[in-house]
Amino acid sequence: MALITISGFPSCGKSKRAEQIKSHLEARLNDASYTGPSLKVSILSDDILNIDRNAYNDSRSEKPARGALFTAMQRQMGQDTILIVDSLNYIKGFRYQMYCAAREQRLRVCTVFVVATPDLCKEWNSSRNDGRTYASETLDNLLMRYEEPSSMVRWDSPLFTITWADDDVPAEGIWQAVTAGNIKPPNVGTQAVPKAPTDTLRTLEHTTTSMVSAIMNEQAASQGLGGPITLTISAIKPRITLPPRNITLSELQRFKRQFVTVHKKAITLGTTEKGAVDWSEESIAGKFVTYLEENLRYS
């Protein structure tokens, strides 16, 4: 249904805001006036995943921590869930990765930027007594490397900014974003590319070769009069309209080589065509007929 990304300095109050957002959303979902689909609101955080604050001490331990968060996020995203990801999310590239994953699931998205001054974050971090403090050096490093969200980029938009002085979150705006906001289609660059069956290259070569032979036989029988003819190739009978002239074997073989070369790339690398891609003998024959008719017309 939706992904809410929480971002902010370490120890700036992100978890408090995540709980406020969850409370507001659940209240709206349980209200008698709500008539939408049945939804649940979940929070995913470093604490829930038992990711220690020491994981952010160096890049070698931070990378698998982010990986664990991302994997858990992918598992919990769904059409029946509003998922709030309560973590630092301080790297814009990671927020973009989360955004793309949400688009793959066709979820609505929004970002909540929790703001507090560095001095306040250091004060709140040092005053914690729950064992979840950042080391002083780690905190300074994270503050320095923080990449602030921007409403000007699509993966941070819509963006809601909450300062340390705000008593509550902009509940109405967040509600509208996660229930009525735009659902963007999956990014083409992130979609899995459908691959052709393993015998498609053989089918492509066999079908086009058989069609060239059949065209030459039919042309010899009709003495080059042209017009629509039906070819018999194993179990299929494609129809092709030939021009009223004698077509040479070398001409057909040249068009066949061009056609095969173009389609080999799509077969070996995959195709970005929308919907199911048909590489059956009948489909290949139909494409080759269209290719020949267009090229023979102007040759």
Side-chain angles (χ1 to χ4, degrees), residues 169-241:
V169 298
E172 180 61 29
I174 294 173
W175 171 259
Q176 291 298 322
V178 300
T179 59
N182 293 330
I183 300 177
K184 296 183 179 179
N187 193 329
V188 172
T190 65
Q191 292 185 68
V193 177
K195 295 295 182 69
T198 55
D199 64 342
T200 303
L201 285 174
R202 185 196 65 80
T203 304
L204 176 68
E205 187 66 38
H206 172 75
T207 302
T208 52
T209 299
S210 299
M211 288 181 66
V212 168
S213 298
I215 289 172
M216 292 303 297
N217 291 336
E218 290 291 338
Q219 183 177 242
S222 65
Q223 298 181 346
L225 295 177
I229 59 173
T230 300
L231 308 177
T232 302
I233 305 169
S234 63
I236 63 173
K237 298 182 182 296
R239 287 181 60 80
I240 184 172
T241 301

Side-chain angles (χ1 to χ4, degrees), residues 53-87:
R53 298 294 191 271
N54 292 330
Y56 294 95
N57 288 350
D58 60 73
S59 59
R60 285 178 299 178
S61 58
E62 182 182 341
K63 187 174 181 180
R66 282 203 308 271
L69 178 70
F70 185 75
T71 300
M73 182 199 76
Q74 288 182 301
R75 280 199 306 266
Q76 295 190 33
M77 287 191 304
Q79 294 299 320
D80 64 341
T81 303
I82 299 174
L83 182 62
I84 304 169
V85 180
D86 170 25
S87 185

